[in-house]
Amino acid sequence: MSAQLRAAGALAPLARRVTVRAVRHFHLPLPTGGIQRADGVARALRRPARFPSNGYHNAVIVRNASFARMLPKLVIKFARLPALFGGLMVGGVAWIQYQAIQVSNSAQEMFGNVKDTVGTAASGLWGGAVEIAGQTKRGWENTKEQIELPEWLDKIMKGESGSGEGNNSGGGPEPPKQSKAGAAAVASASAAAYGYDQSSEEDDRTPEEMAKDDHMMYITKMMIEIRNLLQKVGQSNTVTLPSIVVIGSQSSGKSSVLEAIVGHEFLPKGTNMITRRPIELTLVNDPEARTDYAEFPDLGLHRITDFSLVQKNLTELNMSVPDSECVSDDPIHLVIHSPNVPDLSLIDLPGYIQVAGENQPRELKRKISELCDKYIRGPNIILAISAADVDLANSTALQASRRVDPRGERTIGVITKMDLVDPEKGATILADKQYPLRLGYVGVISKLPTSTSLFKRDTGNVLAAISRNEKSYFGSYPSLFGQDAKVNTGTVTLRKKLMQVLEHQMSSKLQITQDAIQRELEETTYQFKVQYNEEPMTAEAYLAASLDDFKHLFHKYASTFGRPQMHELLKEALDQRVLDQLAARYWNKPIPGLMPALPEPDNIADLPKADPKSPYWHLQLDTASSGLTRLGVGRLATTVVANAVQSSIEQLINKSTFAKHPSARQVISEAAATVLADRAYTTSDGIEFSLKPYKYEVDIQPQEWQQGRDHVAGVLKTELEHCQTAMKQLENVVGGRKKMKEVMSFVDKARKGEIVVEGETRNGAGGFSAALLAKGREAVFLRDRADIINMRIMAVKSRQCKSLENKYYCPEIFLDAVATKLTQTAVLFLNVEMLNDFYARFPREVESKLGESMLSGGLERFAREDPRIKRHLDLIKRKELLELVLAKIDGLNRLEGMGRDREERNEGKSGRRGRRGLLF
């Protein structure tokens, strides 16, 4: 024993150095925990022994005893590992063992009474050592595939040495075995895509085949991404990649086949031709997806995990096509993500019919045929669905595929309902030579009997149930459907075939597509340079430029609209209120016989000669002034200015680039209305408060009186012109001035009592219609009003109205001066409380509201509302998409080149090993 310890102690440092050098030389991804743990144990055992308590004594002895028992078993265990690392690990552990025994000897002399405790706790450290070895082995197995070993080392690691350790009973080398977990991990992607994980079929592929299928899956996924990008390019068929087009009659089981491939019941069901639009279905193999989900990208619907909702949406989208048309070529785009589906691009089309129904258009059969012919043209792959109980000679799907693919190079025949015919007949159909297809036929039973409970909506194990049913049926006839029969059966086989065919077809068209895209890119680059001088353009840049342009217009407007402009607007509004007060208190006269007489002791014509102390005229002026000051000037002023500003904003929008964008125009208008409304009530109340003294007394200065005299004369002249214009319009309506005079004469006589009108009927009176009499009364009113205004204009200009003392003789001047004072006070408050606040807040509010409206794709829609910008963005997007597609194709070409190089190296190694075997 002591001799063994000395030998181990001598070899341990050398073994440890060799281990570290080997790891560094081969760059092995060994777990660092192994060496660190071993070093930690060795350092702990080299420390001076201190025994403060009995429990610590036990712990020290447990470590020593565990290594004493570990060495023989560890040597046997490492004998099964590759010889090189087995020896290295034994040397390393022997060095640790040597250090451990030194401490163990001293500890055993002092504490020999804890022997029984050692055996109980030894398994803990032994398990750690085994874990270290296991991690080392797994790290080496994962790494040896990534590095190219020397031939002698490759033989040692594969157990081809001449030593008898590890050999089987027959004396030959024992081949390396791969655990089931490791095989499942390697083949997980392709196995799940083919359906092995969900079906009862066994995956009998070799590791090389699994790796090749995984490589093919990745290439197919990349090609489908390229195909989707090419669809966005939206050009000729020269830049397209193939899809799988599913055709068949309405009763052929087409929907059941698609649902079996997907693993969910999601297609519309019904008796009255439910599928009316093409369904472009993209299956995405997503290993990270925790649950299957669907997306409608065109509708903005994402992550739909309830496939009954998918079925409902598809039904509604299909039924949106009216019965008068029945079919439409507008496709429905559907994407399904799942870890259990292959990467496929499928197109489901309406089923062929023989005779149109009673409520269907007569040309429906022709429309369906034309729609299918549009999709089954090259380079698309045709999945021709035919029922087994229908003679292939009568298969509508095969007839259609023969028209566009006479040699059957792009057509896969799928025979459904295999359980409805005799097994011999079914086998004959699958091996059919009369209608041969290059890609062959596949027999499936994709719809379970209605009595079974396995085929439930959204259960997730549809494929498993179908696979069991198919295996039960086809397995009952091994001579007809077994491996020796050389026929393809089962949905799992169909999945695998679709993936392989799609990958092959896409790969064959890849170089042609690359050349076409290169030409398209060159043409697009040339157009971009010629039309736009390679000027970049983005939706963000366009929005920023448009906003800057609008802000410039707004700031220019803000510098031109201020207190003078508000004064003019508000004074004009109050001038109309002054005229209303004058009309109500001074101008309106009773019309005898047609309207009740007003209790008016004096007439406006008698005002210049009236008594200066007449209480009637004093009361009239005081009432008119009070009505003017109490009419709600605050709300009127706020409304007038807000409407003017809002109207100006609309004009600014019309001058800016936002005029081409209805949605942005509405946002800006709403932003202006929001800012104005925020200050409207506060401003209105403030104005009313500031005008409160005028409600009790208004002090007019001589200078204000003179200004009012000059101004009101112009207001009266304007009102007179309005009356004259209205009179001319009435004359034109009734048929001329002569006719109007006749009607007005009748109205005047009726007012004076010269003509007695017993009662006016619907037919009128005096030979005039009721409508004509209404126009006549309106004309009389305008004439009288014009006479009064002419009279008051003369009065305002008279010497009597020069002095403020005669204000009761000149109410027009006094009311105008009051309106001016109200306007001046209101404008001061409006400028501070409303206008300045609007100028400060409105630009920020526009930016905020526009930013909110541009979320969720709104920015792109905004930019594309301008046709010029839309063309610019489309050209840039097209150029970027073409460049992206070319980059992805280059990546695929490099990937395929690496795959070919790997296969050539593997073939070369196999050849060298064969020649070496012949030599020895």
Side-chain angles (χ1 to χ4, degrees), residues 423-424 468-482:
E424 292 80 5
R468 282 195 294 271
N469 189 41
E470 289 177 333
K471 186 175 182 180
S472 175
Y473 177 79
F474 294 125
S476 302
Y477 309 99
S479 61
L480 297 174
F481 304 110

Side-chain angles (χ1 to χ4, degrees), residues 570 633-635 637-638 682-692 822 825-827 829-830:
L570 184 54
V633 177
R635 180 172 296 182
T638 304
T682 303
T683 305
S684 176
D685 292 343
I687 293 174
E688 290 294 337
F689 184 80
S690 64
L691 296 178
K692 192 173 182 179
L822 296 175
T825 305
V827 166
F829 209 88
L830 281 169

Side-chain angles (χ1 to χ4, degrees), residues 785-859:
R785 173 60 60 83
D787 292 342
I788 293 174
I789 292 175
N790 273 320
M791 180 181 61
R792 294 312 302 167
I793 291 175
M794 295 176 62
V796 167
K797 293 180 179 181
S798 66
R799 183 183 299 273
Q800 188 181 28
C801 291
K802 285 185 177 181
S803 175
L804 177 60
E805 298 176 354
N806 298 328
K807 64 179 181 180
Y808 294 107
Y809 294 105
C810 309
E812 296 88 356
I813 300 176
F814 182 79
L815 292 177
D816 186 270
V818 171
T820 301
K821 293 184 75 69
L822 296 175
T823 301
Q824 291 172 348
T825 305
V827 166
L828 292 174
F829 209 88
L830 281 169
N831 186 64
V832 175
E833 291 294 328
M834 189 174 189
L835 194 62
N836 290 342
D837 179 78
F838 177 79
Y839 288 159
R841 289 178 52 195
F842 175 65
R844 296 196 299 268
E845 188 73 11
V846 169
E847 290 184 359
S848 176
K849 295 295 184 181
L850 281 177
E852 293 176 2
S853 66
M854 297 304 165
L855 299 176
S856 302
L859 181 59

Side-chain angles (χ1 to χ4, degrees), residues 155 158-176:
K155 290 178 63 177
K158 294 187 177 181
E160 296 178 1
S161 62
S163 62
E165 294 184 1
N167 290 357
N168 54 20
S169 57
E174 182 179 357

Side-chain angles (χ1 to χ4, degrees), residues 11 75 104 122 127 186 203 288 339 395 414 442 456 568 581 606 608 646 671 683 700 755 762 853 865 871 883:
L11 291 175
V75 172
S104 176
V186 173
D203 191 354
E288 297 180 358
S395 172
V414 178
V442 181
K456 293 181 180 179
E568 181 180 353
Q581 293 294 328
D606 301 330
Q646 188 75 43
T683 305
I700 302 298
I755 299 176
R762 293 182 178 178
S853 66
E865 288 175 351
R871 290 191 297 270
E883 291 173 346

